[in-house]
Amino acid sequence: EVLGATPIPVQAGGLSWKKRPFLRFPPDFVLKPLPVDDRGYRELAFYEKVNLACDRYNASGDVDKEADLLRRYSAFMPSYYGLLGDLSNRLLGASNYLLLRDTTATFTRPCVIDIKMGRQTYEPGVSAEKIEYEKKKYPEQATFGFRITGANIYDPYSGEAGEDGYVRFGKHFGRDLKSRSALCSAIRRLFSRSVDPSLPP
């Protein structure tokens, strides 16, 4: 555990019992848990590589194509400040987190959508069984290039809202979107609000 850190109430994805939650760390940081297998090392390396690409670009202005792509991609990422946790044995463990900027910190009631990007959702070198398992989750991802894995939308006038005013959409909401029209309708729903019934028509 990290002293002073608390679970993020609006986390929309990665909520299975096997996964550690994202943590909010004052004043405006997020602690993102890293998997303790190869995926964690790849994710850490990616963030470090993006930072390095940005530093090199700022220093010289002369970078290769990959570094330029990473620098441009960084505009859509939260700022990364390093790795926290026990590093004594040089192995990732349950105490390790990425320290990121909390992009929701300035919002009173943030709305969050978790989207898994890409047509392929399995890591390099996995077994054929793992590949088949991942493909069966949402076959349409190979066509659409992404899937919605969860969302928390503040919509207090919706009949589906909880006591806190949020409507929560789980992973099966996204997996049930089998057609392009259904996906477009879902996106419109996530980006719209119910009308206050006390207002005149």
Side-chain angles (χ1 to χ4, degrees):
E1 295 297 323
V2 180
L3 187 63
T6 56
I8 294 179
V10 292
Q11 181 176 343
L15 294 170
S16 75
W17 65 271
K18 295 181 291 185
K19 296 180 179 178
R20 293 177 290 153
F22 282 55
L23 301 175
R24 176 172 286 157
F25 188 61
D28 52 7
F29 300 104
V30 161
L31 300 180
K32 184 180 189 298
L34 278 172
V36 295
D37 55 19
D38 290 349
R39 295 171 299 165
Y41 291 100
R42 280 195 295 271
E43 186 171 357
L44 175 60
F46 173 74
Y47 277 95
E48 291 286 348
K49 199 168 186 180
V50 169
N51 268 15
L52 183 61
C54 292
D55 290 344
R56 285 183 174 174
Y57 187 89
N58 292 334
S60 67
D62 182 24
V63 294
D64 59 29
K65 184 177 180 181
E66 180 185 12
D68 185 54
L69 288 173
L70 289 171
R71 180 191 62 81
R72 286 190 281 157
Y73 186 73
S74 70
F76 303 97
M77 296 171 52
S79 299
Y80 163 69
Y81 300 104
L83 181 67
L84 293 185
D86 182 13
L87 303 174
S88 58
N89 58 7
R90 304 181 66 84
L91 296 174
L92 292 179
S95 70
N96 292 126
Y97 292 86
L98 297 176
L99 181 63
L100 305 173
R101 181 80 170 185
D102 181 1
T103 57
T104 70
T106 58
F107 294 88
T108 304
R109 297 183 181 92
C111 297
V112 176
I113 301 175
D114 191 290
I115 296 176
K116 189 175 286 291
M117 301 294 294
R119 299 180 187 275
Q120 176 181 311
T121 61
Y122 50 87
E123 301 84 26
V126 299
S127 66
E129 291 79 9
K130 173 67 172 176
I131 292 173
E132 188 63 21
Y133 172 76
E134 287 294 324
K135 286 182 175 180
K136 282 183 176 179
K137 282 184 180 179
Y138 188 57
E140 292 76 14
Q141 187 155 350
T143 300
F144 298 145
F146 71 95
R147 80 169 182 262
I148 298 169
T149 60
N152 290 325
I153 307 299
Y154 185 71
D155 190 4
Y157 301 113
S158 168
E160 302 173 89
E163 291 184 2
D164 60 356
Y166 277 90
V167 180
R168 289 178 165 78
F169 301 85
K171 61 185 178 183
H172 294 291
F173 170 79
R175 292 183 189 180
D176 289 340
L177 304 174
K178 303 297 186 182
S179 67
R180 187 177 297 273
S181 62
L183 183 61
C184 290
S185 295
I187 291 173
R188 282 194 293 271
R189 182 181 181 191
L190 294 173
F191 282 89
S192 62
R193 296 279 297 276
S194 301
V195 177
D196 183 346
S198 66
L199 296 177

